[in-house]
Amino acid sequence: MTKWWKQSVFYEIYMPSFKDGNGDGIGDFAGISSKLDYLKDLGVNGLWLTPFYPSPKVDNGYDIADYYEIDSDYGTMADFEVFIKEAHQRGIRVIADLVLNHTSSAHPWFQESKSSKDHPKRDWYLWRNEPNNWESFFGGSAWEYDETTGQYYYHAFAKEQVDLNWTNPEVKKAMFDVMKFWLEKEVDGFRLDVINFLKVNDSYQDNPYVGEEQTHLYDKDQEGILTTIEEIAAFVHQYPDKFLVGEVGSEDLEILKRYSGLESLDVVFNFNIGSVETFDSERIFRGLVATEEAYREDQIPTLFFSSHDMSRFISRFGGDLDRAKLVAALMLTAKGVPFIYFGDEIGMRDWVTDDINKMKDVQGLMGYKLALESGKTSEEALRVANEKSRDKSRTPMQWDESEFVGFSDVPPWITVPDDALEVNVADQLDDPDSMLSFYKSLLGLRGEHASLQVGDYEFLRYEDGMISFGRTDGIEKVIVLLNFSDVVRVVDGLGENLEFLLSTKRNDLELGEGITVFENEALIIKEVLSR
Ligand code: TEU
Ligand code: CA
Protein backbone atom coordinates (compact mmCIF):
# COMPACT_ATOMS: atom_id res chain seq x y z
CA MET A 1 0.00 0.00 0.00
CA THR A 2 1.32 3.40 -0.91
CA LYS A 3 1.70 5.59 2.13
CA TRP A 4 -0.95 8.31 2.26
CA TRP A 5 1.53 11.16 2.46
CA LYS A 6 3.14 10.16 -0.82
CA GLN A 7 -0.18 10.91 -2.46
CA SER A 8 -0.92 14.06 -0.54
CA VAL A 9 -0.68 17.76 -1.13
CA PHE A 10 -0.13 19.70 2.06
CA TYR A 11 -1.23 23.23 2.84
CA GLU A 12 0.54 25.28 5.46
CA ILE A 13 -1.63 27.33 7.78
CA TYR A 14 0.03 30.10 9.72
CA MET A 15 -2.24 29.94 12.76
CA PRO A 16 -2.91 33.61 13.60
CA SER A 17 -3.57 34.59 9.99
CA PHE A 18 -5.83 32.03 8.37
CA LYS A 19 -9.34 32.57 9.68
CA ASP A 20 -10.65 34.34 12.74
CA GLY A 21 -13.69 32.53 14.11
CA ASN A 22 -14.60 34.65 17.14
CA GLY A 23 -14.05 38.21 15.97
CA ASP A 24 -10.96 39.07 18.02
CA GLY A 25 -8.90 39.49 14.87
CA ILE A 26 -6.74 36.43 15.47
CA GLY A 27 -7.04 33.22 13.49
CA ASP A 28 -8.23 30.21 15.50
CA PHE A 29 -9.46 26.62 15.33
CA ALA A 30 -13.11 27.62 15.01
CA GLY A 31 -12.08 29.70 12.00
CA ILE A 32 -10.09 26.92 10.38
CA SER A 33 -12.95 24.47 10.92
CA SER A 34 -15.28 26.88 9.14
CA LYS A 35 -12.95 26.82 6.12
CA LEU A 36 -12.49 23.07 5.83
CA ASP A 37 -14.94 22.95 2.95
CA TYR A 38 -12.90 25.59 1.16
CA LEU A 39 -9.76 23.48 1.65
CA LYS A 40 -11.51 20.31 0.55
CA ASP A 41 -12.78 22.12 -2.58
CA LEU A 42 -9.30 23.41 -3.25
CA GLY A 43 -8.21 19.79 -3.25
CA VAL A 44 -5.56 19.61 -0.56
CA ASN A 45 -5.53 16.57 1.69
CA GLY A 46 -2.99 17.49 4.33
CA LEU A 47 -2.66 20.50 6.62
CA TRP A 48 0.43 21.68 8.45
CA LEU A 49 -0.45 23.98 11.31
CA THR A 50 2.21 26.27 12.78
CA PRO A 51 2.51 25.96 16.60
CA PHE A 52 -0.78 26.33 18.47
CA TYR A 53 0.44 25.66 22.02
CA PRO A 54 0.38 28.26 24.80
CA SER A 55 3.19 30.69 24.14
CA PRO A 56 4.30 34.24 24.93
CA LYS A 57 4.70 34.44 21.11
CA VAL A 58 8.04 36.18 21.06
CA ASP A 59 8.54 34.11 17.92
CA ASN A 60 4.91 33.52 17.08
CA GLY A 61 4.49 30.26 18.90
CA TYR A 62 7.90 28.76 18.20
CA ASP A 63 8.49 29.55 21.88
CA ILE A 64 6.27 26.99 23.60
CA ALA A 65 5.42 27.44 27.27
CA ASP A 66 3.15 24.39 27.62
CA TYR A 67 3.27 21.38 25.30
CA TYR A 68 -0.05 19.96 26.48
CA GLU A 69 -2.55 22.72 25.83
CA ILE A 70 -4.02 24.97 23.16
CA ASP A 71 -3.15 28.66 23.26
CA SER A 72 -6.29 30.55 24.27
CA ASP A 73 -5.89 32.81 21.21
CA TYR A 74 -6.61 29.75 19.08
CA GLY A 75 -9.44 28.32 21.15
CA THR A 76 -9.81 25.37 23.49
CA MET A 77 -8.83 21.72 23.43
CA ALA A 78 -12.46 21.01 22.55
CA ASP A 79 -12.18 23.32 19.50
CA PHE A 80 -9.03 21.46 18.50
CA GLU A 81 -10.75 18.09 18.80
CA VAL A 82 -13.72 19.23 16.74
CA PHE A 83 -11.35 20.53 14.10
CA ILE A 84 -9.40 17.25 13.86
CA LYS A 85 -12.60 15.26 13.61
CA GLU A 86 -14.08 17.53 10.94
CA ALA A 87 -10.85 17.48 8.96
CA HIS A 88 -10.67 13.69 9.05
CA GLN A 89 -14.28 13.41 7.97
CA ARG A 90 -13.30 15.29 4.83
CA GLY A 91 -10.28 13.09 4.18
CA ILE A 92 -7.88 15.81 5.28
CA ARG A 93 -5.00 14.82 7.57
CA VAL A 94 -3.36 17.19 9.96
CA ILE A 95 0.24 17.52 11.04
CA ALA A 96 1.28 19.63 14.00
CA ASP A 97 4.37 21.77 14.13
CA LEU A 98 6.45 20.62 17.05
CA VAL A 99 9.41 22.47 18.49
CA LEU A 100 11.67 19.93 20.19
CA ASN A 101 14.86 21.96 20.04
CA HIS A 102 13.93 24.71 22.47
CA THR A 103 11.22 25.85 24.85
CA SER A 104 10.02 29.29 25.79
CA SER A 105 12.01 30.86 28.61
CA ALA A 106 8.59 31.05 30.29
CA HIS A 107 8.25 27.25 30.31
CA PRO A 108 8.25 25.86 33.88
CA TRP A 109 11.13 23.53 32.92
CA PHE A 110 13.35 26.51 32.23
CA GLN A 111 12.09 28.46 35.22
CA GLU A 112 13.10 25.48 37.36
CA SER A 113 16.38 25.01 35.53
CA LYS A 114 17.45 28.58 36.07
CA SER A 115 16.41 28.65 39.74
CA SER A 116 19.65 27.10 40.99
CA LYS A 117 22.75 25.27 39.83
CA ASP A 118 21.72 22.09 41.63
CA HIS A 119 18.14 21.92 40.55
CA PRO A 120 17.42 18.49 39.04
CA LYS A 121 16.39 20.23 35.80
CA ARG A 122 19.55 22.36 35.64
CA ASP A 123 20.98 20.00 33.04
CA TRP A 124 17.85 20.13 30.84
CA TYR A 125 19.30 23.22 29.16
CA LEU A 126 22.82 24.25 28.15
CA TRP A 127 24.56 26.29 30.83
CA ARG A 128 28.17 27.54 30.66
CA ASN A 129 30.39 29.82 32.71
CA GLU A 130 31.61 31.65 29.62
CA PRO A 131 30.02 32.20 26.22
CA ASN A 132 31.80 31.24 22.98
CA ASN A 133 31.36 33.11 19.67
CA TRP A 134 28.27 31.27 18.48
CA GLU A 135 25.71 33.61 16.98
CA SER A 136 21.97 33.38 17.24
CA PHE A 137 20.20 32.83 13.91
CA PHE A 138 18.28 36.01 14.58
CA GLY A 139 21.53 37.98 15.12
CA GLY A 140 23.67 38.76 18.14
CA SER A 141 25.22 36.31 20.59
CA ALA A 142 23.54 32.94 21.16
CA TRP A 143 24.41 33.17 24.86
CA GLU A 144 22.46 35.05 27.48
CA TYR A 145 23.75 35.84 30.93
CA ASP A 146 21.44 34.87 33.74
CA GLU A 147 21.89 36.75 36.97
CA THR A 148 20.27 34.22 39.29
CA THR A 149 23.17 31.79 39.02
CA GLY A 150 25.79 33.82 37.17
CA GLN A 151 25.96 31.52 34.14
CA TYR A 152 25.09 31.81 30.45
CA TYR A 153 22.46 29.75 28.67
CA TYR A 154 22.42 28.86 24.98
CA HIS A 155 19.70 29.94 22.54
CA ALA A 156 20.08 29.32 18.81
CA PHE A 157 17.17 31.72 18.17
CA ALA A 158 15.74 34.47 20.41
CA LYS A 159 16.87 34.63 24.01
CA GLU A 160 13.31 33.70 24.95
CA GLN A 161 13.75 30.38 23.05
CA VAL A 162 16.08 28.32 25.19
CA ASP A 163 17.80 25.29 23.69
CA LEU A 164 17.18 21.99 25.44
CA ASN A 165 19.97 19.58 26.25
CA TRP A 166 19.10 16.53 24.17
CA THR A 167 22.00 14.51 25.56
CA ASN A 168 19.98 14.34 28.78
CA PRO A 169 17.73 11.23 28.66
CA GLU A 170 15.08 12.97 30.77
CA VAL A 171 14.65 15.62 28.08
CA LYS A 172 14.20 12.95 25.45
CA LYS A 173 11.68 11.13 27.61
CA ALA A 174 9.75 14.35 28.27
CA MET A 175 9.51 15.05 24.54
CA PHE A 176 8.50 11.50 23.67
CA ASP A 177 5.66 11.92 26.15
CA VAL A 178 4.64 15.10 24.33
CA MET A 179 4.60 13.32 20.98
CA LYS A 180 2.58 10.46 22.42
CA PHE A 181 0.02 12.91 23.76
CA TRP A 182 -0.60 14.55 20.39
CA LEU A 183 -0.50 11.29 18.44
CA GLU A 184 -3.23 10.07 20.73
CA LYS A 185 -5.13 13.27 20.01
CA GLU A 186 -5.06 11.94 16.46
CA VAL A 187 -2.71 14.28 14.75
CA ASP A 188 -1.37 12.50 11.67
CA GLY A 189 2.23 13.45 12.22
CA PHE A 190 4.58 16.30 12.92
CA ARG A 191 6.56 18.96 11.20
CA LEU A 192 9.69 18.94 13.32
CA ASP A 193 11.15 22.40 13.73
CA VAL A 194 14.94 22.87 13.26
CA ILE A 195 15.42 19.18 13.90
CA ASN A 196 19.10 19.16 12.93
CA PHE A 197 19.84 21.58 15.77
CA LEU A 198 19.15 19.17 18.64
CA LYS A 199 22.83 18.58 19.27
CA VAL A 200 25.67 21.06 19.57
CA ASN A 201 29.36 20.18 19.62
CA ASP A 202 30.37 19.47 23.20
CA SER A 203 33.83 20.95 22.63
CA TYR A 204 32.06 24.33 22.34
CA GLN A 205 34.73 25.45 19.84
CA ASP A 206 34.24 28.86 18.23
CA ASN A 207 32.57 28.88 14.84
CA PRO A 208 34.71 30.09 11.91
CA TYR A 209 33.89 33.12 9.77
CA VAL A 210 33.81 33.65 6.03
CA GLY A 211 34.14 37.43 5.80
CA GLU A 212 31.51 38.90 8.12
CA GLU A 213 29.37 35.81 8.04
CA GLN A 214 29.64 33.09 10.66
CA THR A 215 29.69 29.50 9.44
CA HIS A 216 27.56 27.43 11.79
CA LEU A 217 30.00 24.55 11.99
CA TYR A 218 29.59 23.44 15.59
CA ASP A 219 26.02 24.33 16.50
CA LYS A 220 24.03 22.11 14.10
CA ASP A 221 24.32 18.81 12.20
CA GLN A 222 26.56 17.41 14.92
CA GLU A 223 27.60 13.85 15.56
CA GLY A 224 24.91 11.71 17.09
CA ILE A 225 22.07 13.77 15.66
CA LEU A 226 21.10 11.12 13.12
CA THR A 227 20.75 8.51 15.86
CA THR A 228 18.55 10.82 17.91
CA ILE A 229 16.38 11.49 14.88
CA GLU A 230 16.13 7.78 14.14
CA GLU A 231 14.94 7.23 17.69
CA ILE A 232 12.30 9.92 17.26
CA ALA A 233 11.24 8.38 13.94
CA ALA A 234 11.08 4.88 15.41
CA PHE A 235 8.99 6.16 18.28
CA VAL A 236 6.50 7.98 16.06
CA HIS A 237 6.32 5.20 13.49
CA GLN A 238 5.18 2.73 16.15
CA TYR A 239 1.87 4.43 15.53
CA PRO A 240 0.63 3.28 12.13
CA ASP A 241 0.47 5.81 9.33
CA LYS A 242 2.06 8.75 11.10
CA PHE A 243 4.15 11.11 9.03
CA LEU A 244 7.26 13.13 9.85
CA VAL A 245 8.55 16.05 7.87
CA GLY A 246 11.74 17.55 9.16
CA GLU A 247 12.75 21.13 8.94
CA VAL A 248 16.46 20.65 8.48
CA GLY A 249 17.79 24.18 8.50
CA SER A 250 20.11 23.95 5.49
CA GLU A 251 20.09 24.58 1.77
CA ASP A 252 22.88 22.08 1.26
CA LEU A 253 21.62 18.93 -0.44
CA GLU A 254 24.56 16.94 0.91
CA ILE A 255 23.29 17.72 4.41
CA LEU A 256 19.58 17.46 3.67
CA LYS A 257 19.91 13.99 2.19
CA ARG A 258 21.20 12.56 5.47
CA TYR A 259 17.95 13.13 7.23
CA SER A 260 15.25 11.23 5.37
CA GLY A 261 14.59 7.63 4.50
CA LEU A 262 13.08 4.39 5.72
CA GLU A 263 14.61 4.49 9.21
CA SER A 264 14.46 8.23 9.57
CA LEU A 265 12.21 11.17 8.81
CA ASP A 266 9.80 10.49 5.97
CA VAL A 267 10.81 13.67 4.17
CA VAL A 268 12.64 16.92 4.82
CA PHE A 269 12.01 20.33 3.32
CA ASN A 270 14.14 20.70 0.22
CA PHE A 271 15.42 24.22 0.79
CA ASN A 272 17.99 23.44 -1.90
CA ILE A 273 15.14 23.93 -4.38
CA GLY A 274 12.59 26.01 -2.47
CA SER A 275 14.84 28.77 -1.18
CA VAL A 276 15.94 30.06 -4.57
CA GLU A 277 16.04 33.81 -3.94
CA THR A 278 15.27 35.35 -7.27
CA PHE A 279 13.62 33.65 -10.19
CA ASP A 280 15.93 31.42 -12.19
CA SER A 281 14.30 28.52 -14.05
CA GLU A 282 17.64 26.88 -14.72
CA ARG A 283 18.57 26.91 -11.04
CA ILE A 284 15.26 25.35 -10.13
CA PHE A 285 15.79 22.71 -12.79
CA ARG A 286 19.29 22.00 -11.50
CA GLY A 287 17.88 21.67 -7.99
CA LEU A 288 15.37 19.07 -9.20
CA VAL A 289 18.03 17.10 -11.04
CA ALA A 290 20.56 17.22 -8.21
CA THR A 291 17.95 16.02 -5.75
CA GLU A 292 16.86 13.23 -8.08
CA GLU A 293 20.49 12.11 -8.39
CA ALA A 294 21.32 12.38 -4.71
CA TYR A 295 18.26 10.64 -3.31
CA ARG A 296 17.98 6.91 -2.75
CA GLU A 297 14.94 4.85 -3.63
CA ASP A 298 13.46 5.40 -0.16
CA GLN A 299 13.84 9.18 -0.25
CA ILE A 300 11.29 11.55 -1.69
CA PRO A 301 11.72 15.29 -2.15
CA THR A 302 9.34 18.00 -1.03
CA LEU A 303 8.25 20.86 -3.24
CA PHE A 304 7.52 24.35 -1.97
CA PHE A 305 8.57 27.91 -2.74
CA SER A 306 6.92 29.86 0.09
CA SER A 307 6.49 29.52 3.84
CA HIS A 308 5.97 31.60 6.96
CA ASP A 309 9.75 32.12 7.03
CA MET A 310 10.13 33.27 3.44
CA SER A 311 9.03 35.93 1.05
CA ARG A 312 6.04 34.66 -0.95
CA PHE A 313 7.33 33.30 -4.23
CA ILE A 314 5.02 35.42 -6.34
CA SER A 315 6.68 38.55 -4.91
CA ARG A 316 10.14 37.05 -4.77
CA PHE A 317 9.93 36.02 -8.42
CA GLY A 318 8.85 39.45 -9.64
CA GLY A 319 5.07 39.49 -9.24
CA ASP A 320 4.14 38.17 -12.68
CA LEU A 321 0.96 36.05 -12.64
CA ASP A 322 1.86 33.85 -15.62
CA ARG A 323 5.13 32.99 -13.98
CA ALA A 324 3.41 32.28 -10.67
CA LYS A 325 1.11 29.83 -12.48
CA LEU A 326 4.10 28.13 -14.07
CA VAL A 327 5.76 27.74 -10.67
CA ALA A 328 2.53 26.38 -9.19
CA ALA A 329 2.30 23.90 -12.07
CA LEU A 330 5.84 22.76 -11.40
CA MET A 331 5.22 22.40 -7.70
CA LEU A 332 2.12 20.30 -8.21
CA THR A 333 3.34 18.05 -11.01
CA ALA A 334 7.03 17.44 -10.35
CA LYS A 335 8.22 14.52 -8.23
CA GLY A 336 7.84 15.14 -4.52
CA VAL A 337 5.38 16.02 -1.79
CA PRO A 338 4.06 19.57 -2.36
CA PHE A 339 3.48 22.09 0.41
CA ILE A 340 1.31 25.05 -0.60
CA TYR A 341 1.59 28.09 1.65
CA PHE A 342 -1.84 29.57 2.50
CA GLY A 343 -2.72 32.51 0.29
CA ASP A 344 -0.39 31.53 -2.54
CA GLU A 345 -3.37 29.88 -4.20
CA ILE A 346 -4.95 33.32 -4.68
CA GLY A 347 -1.67 35.07 -5.45
CA MET A 348 -1.26 36.99 -2.21
CA ARG A 349 1.80 39.18 -2.15
CA ASP A 350 4.42 40.23 0.36
CA TRP A 351 3.67 42.99 2.83
CA VAL A 352 6.21 45.61 3.87
CA THR A 353 6.00 48.56 6.20
CA ASP A 354 7.37 52.07 6.47
CA ASP A 355 6.74 52.06 10.21
CA ILE A 356 8.97 49.95 12.45
CA ASN A 357 6.28 50.08 15.14
CA LYS A 358 4.08 47.95 12.92
CA MET A 359 6.66 45.21 12.64
CA LYS A 360 5.99 42.10 14.69
CA ASP A 361 8.61 39.57 13.67
CA VAL A 362 11.48 39.07 16.10
CA GLN A 363 13.92 38.52 13.25
CA GLY A 364 12.99 41.86 11.64
CA LEU A 365 13.07 43.74 14.93
CA MET A 366 16.43 42.24 15.82
CA GLY A 367 17.76 43.24 12.40
CA TYR A 368 16.57 46.80 13.03
CA LYS A 369 18.20 46.99 16.44
CA LEU A 370 21.54 45.60 15.25
CA ALA A 371 21.52 47.89 12.20
CA LEU A 372 21.02 50.98 14.39
CA GLU A 373 23.73 49.78 16.76
CA SER A 374 26.15 49.42 13.86
CA GLY A 375 25.60 53.09 12.98
CA LYS A 376 23.03 52.82 10.19
CA THR A 377 20.42 55.58 9.78
CA SER A 378 16.85 54.71 10.78
CA GLU A 379 15.88 54.63 7.10
CA GLU A 380 18.64 52.15 6.30
CA ALA A 381 17.77 50.14 9.39
CA LEU A 382 14.13 49.98 8.27
CA ARG A 383 15.21 48.60 4.94
CA VAL A 384 17.28 45.91 6.69
CA ALA A 385 14.37 45.16 9.00
CA ASN A 386 11.98 44.72 6.06
CA GLU A 387 14.43 42.41 4.34
CA LYS A 388 14.81 40.24 7.42
CA SER A 389 11.24 40.45 8.64
CA ARG A 390 9.05 37.44 8.03
CA ASP A 391 5.94 39.54 8.54
CA LYS A 392 5.98 39.90 4.77
CA SER A 393 4.27 36.57 4.24
CA ARG A 394 2.22 36.50 7.44
CA THR A 395 -0.65 38.88 6.70
CA PRO A 396 -4.21 37.60 7.06
CA MET A 397 -5.70 35.38 4.40
CA GLN A 398 -7.64 37.59 2.02
CA TRP A 399 -11.07 35.98 2.07
CA ASP A 400 -12.60 39.14 0.64
CA GLU A 401 -11.70 42.77 0.01
CA SER A 402 -12.10 43.76 3.65
CA GLU A 403 -9.22 41.56 4.68
CA PHE A 404 -6.74 43.37 2.48
CA VAL A 405 -4.14 44.99 4.74
CA GLY A 406 -1.30 44.80 2.28
CA PHE A 407 -0.05 47.97 0.81
CA SER A 408 -1.49 50.94 2.66
CA ASP A 409 1.83 52.09 4.01
CA VAL A 410 4.52 51.10 1.59
CA PRO A 411 8.09 52.31 1.69
CA PRO A 412 9.17 54.23 -1.42
CA TRP A 413 11.13 51.36 -2.93
CA ILE A 414 8.11 49.10 -3.37
CA THR A 415 5.69 49.28 -6.30
CA VAL A 416 2.11 48.39 -5.52
CA PRO A 417 0.62 46.08 -8.13
CA ASP A 418 -2.53 47.44 -9.82
CA ASP A 419 -4.57 44.33 -9.21
CA ALA A 420 -3.64 44.00 -5.53
CA LEU A 421 -7.19 44.54 -4.33
CA GLU A 422 -8.59 41.72 -6.44
CA VAL A 423 -6.40 39.24 -4.70
CA ASN A 424 -9.09 37.65 -2.58
CA VAL A 425 -11.04 34.42 -2.45
CA ALA A 426 -14.47 35.95 -2.98
CA ASP A 427 -13.48 37.50 -6.31
CA GLN A 428 -11.69 34.44 -7.57
CA LEU A 429 -14.06 31.63 -6.63
CA ASP A 430 -16.24 31.87 -9.72
CA ASP A 431 -13.66 33.20 -12.11
CA PRO A 432 -12.36 30.36 -14.30
CA ASP A 433 -9.24 32.34 -15.16
CA SER A 434 -8.27 33.12 -11.58
CA MET A 435 -5.23 31.85 -9.76
CA LEU A 436 -7.52 29.98 -7.41
CA SER A 437 -9.26 28.16 -10.26
CA PHE A 438 -5.90 27.25 -11.72
CA TYR A 439 -4.72 25.75 -8.43
CA LYS A 440 -7.94 23.78 -8.23
CA SER A 441 -7.44 22.42 -11.73
CA LEU A 442 -3.88 21.43 -10.94
CA LEU A 443 -4.86 19.75 -7.71
CA GLY A 444 -7.70 17.97 -9.47
CA LEU A 445 -5.34 16.75 -12.15
CA ARG A 446 -2.85 15.51 -9.61
CA GLY A 447 -5.63 13.72 -7.76
CA GLU A 448 -6.75 11.93 -10.92
CA HIS A 449 -3.32 10.83 -12.12
CA ALA A 450 -1.33 8.34 -10.09
CA SER A 451 1.73 9.05 -12.22
CA LEU A 452 1.75 12.63 -10.88
CA GLN A 453 1.59 11.37 -7.32
CA VAL A 454 3.99 8.48 -7.32
CA GLY A 455 5.40 8.22 -10.83
CA ASP A 456 9.07 8.40 -11.66
CA TYR A 457 10.59 10.78 -14.14
CA GLU A 458 10.74 9.28 -17.57
CA PHE A 459 12.64 12.33 -18.68
CA LEU A 460 13.55 15.65 -17.05
CA ARG A 461 14.90 18.32 -19.37
CA TYR A 462 15.84 21.94 -19.62
CA GLU A 463 16.20 23.87 -22.83
CA ASP A 464 16.20 27.63 -23.40
CA GLY A 465 14.04 28.50 -20.44
CA MET A 466 11.69 25.54 -20.72
CA ILE A 467 11.55 22.84 -18.06
CA SER A 468 9.87 19.69 -19.26
CA PHE A 469 9.35 16.29 -17.81
CA GLY A 470 7.37 13.13 -18.22
CA ARG A 471 6.20 11.12 -15.25
CA THR A 472 4.95 7.60 -15.49
CA ASP A 473 3.59 4.83 -13.34
CA GLY A 474 3.88 2.30 -16.17
CA ILE A 475 0.26 2.68 -17.23
CA GLU A 476 0.12 6.29 -18.27
CA LYS A 477 2.57 9.08 -18.78
CA VAL A 478 1.89 12.71 -17.96
CA ILE A 479 4.03 15.20 -19.83
CA VAL A 480 4.55 18.64 -18.37
CA LEU A 481 5.90 21.47 -20.52
CA LEU A 482 6.75 24.63 -18.60
CA ASN A 483 7.86 27.40 -20.89
CA PHE A 484 9.31 30.01 -18.57
CA SER A 485 10.72 31.93 -21.55
CA ASP A 486 9.24 34.76 -23.62
CA VAL A 487 9.62 32.75 -26.83
CA VAL A 488 7.23 30.25 -28.44
CA ARG A 489 8.65 26.72 -28.58
CA VAL A 490 7.83 23.73 -30.71
CA VAL A 491 8.39 20.34 -29.13
CA ASP A 492 8.68 17.12 -31.16
CA GLY A 493 8.87 13.45 -30.44
CA LEU A 494 6.62 13.25 -27.43
CA GLY A 495 4.93 10.05 -28.48
CA GLU A 496 1.55 8.95 -29.76
CA ASN A 497 -1.89 8.69 -28.20
CA LEU A 498 -1.52 12.14 -26.71
CA GLU A 499 -4.35 13.81 -24.88
CA PHE A 500 -4.65 17.44 -23.78
CA LEU A 501 -5.04 17.90 -20.02
CA LEU A 502 -4.43 21.50 -18.95
CA SER A 503 -2.93 24.76 -20.07
CA THR A 504 -2.58 28.25 -18.66
CA LYS A 505 -3.30 29.74 -22.09
CA ARG A 506 -6.00 27.68 -23.79
CA ASN A 507 -8.83 25.29 -23.19
CA ASP A 508 -8.01 22.66 -25.74
CA LEU A 509 -5.39 21.70 -28.28
CA GLU A 510 -5.14 19.39 -31.29
CA LEU A 511 -2.17 17.17 -30.62
CA GLY A 512 0.05 15.76 -33.32
CA GLU A 513 3.68 15.98 -34.33
CA GLY A 514 5.25 19.26 -33.24
CA ILE A 515 3.51 20.73 -30.23
CA THR A 516 3.56 24.49 -29.91
CA VAL A 517 4.08 25.82 -26.43
CA PHE A 518 3.34 29.52 -26.07
CA GLU A 519 5.63 31.89 -24.23
CA ASN A 520 5.06 31.63 -20.46
CA GLU A 521 2.65 28.76 -20.93
CA ALA A 522 2.28 25.71 -18.74
CA LEU A 523 0.99 22.85 -20.88
CA ILE A 524 0.15 19.45 -19.51
CA ILE A 525 -0.69 16.48 -21.72
CA LYS A 526 -0.88 12.76 -21.28
CA GLU A 527 0.10 9.69 -23.18
CA VAL A 528 -1.88 6.52 -22.67
CA LEU A 529 0.62 3.67 -22.59
CA SER A 530 -1.53 0.59 -22.14
CA ARG A 531 -4.92 -0.48 -20.98
O1 TEU B 1 12.93 28.16 11.33
C1 TEU B 1 14.26 27.78 11.38
C2 TEU B 1 15.20 28.52 10.57
O2 TEU B 1 16.16 27.95 10.10
C3 TEU B 1 15.03 29.98 10.43
O3 TEU B 1 16.23 30.55 10.81
C4 TEU B 1 14.71 30.34 9.05
O4 TEU B 1 15.65 29.81 8.16
C5 TEU B 1 14.74 31.83 8.95
O5 TEU B 1 13.74 32.32 9.79
C6 TEU B 1 14.46 32.30 7.55
O6 TEU B 1 14.39 33.68 7.51
C7 TEU B 1 12.08 27.57 12.25
C8 TEU B 1 10.70 28.16 12.11
O7 TEU B 1 10.16 27.82 10.86
C9 TEU B 1 10.78 29.63 12.35
O8 TEU B 1 9.56 30.26 12.15
C10 TEU B 1 11.26 29.82 13.77
O9 TEU B 1 11.48 31.19 13.99
C11 TEU B 1 12.55 29.07 14.05
O10 TEU B 1 12.51 27.73 13.58
C12 TEU B 1 12.81 28.98 15.52
O11 TEU B 1 11.92 28.10 16.13
CA1 CA C 1 -9.97 34.61 16.96
Side-chain angles (χ1 to χ4, degrees), residues 351 353-360 365 368 382:
W351 177 86
T353 182
D354 65 355
D355 180 358
I356 191 67
N357 297 311
K358 290 194 179 147
M359 195 169 284
K360 290 192 202 137
L365 293 170
Y368 188 76
L382 183 66

Side-chain angles (χ1 to χ4, degrees), residues 10 48 95 243 245 269 302-304 306 331 337-341:
F10 286 85
W48 151 27
I95 61 169
F243 169 64
V245 48
F269 287 124
T302 52
L303 296 160
F304 66 95
S306 301
M331 212 175 98
V337 182
F339 284 78
I340 298 170
Y341 184 54

Side-chain angles (χ1 to χ4, degrees), residues 260-278:
S260 66
L262 261 190
E263 309 282 299
S264 191
L265 304 172
D266 294 304
V267 295
V268 300
F269 287 124
N270 282 91
F271 292 108
N272 62 313
I273 305 168
S275 288
V276 47
E277 284 263 338
T278 48

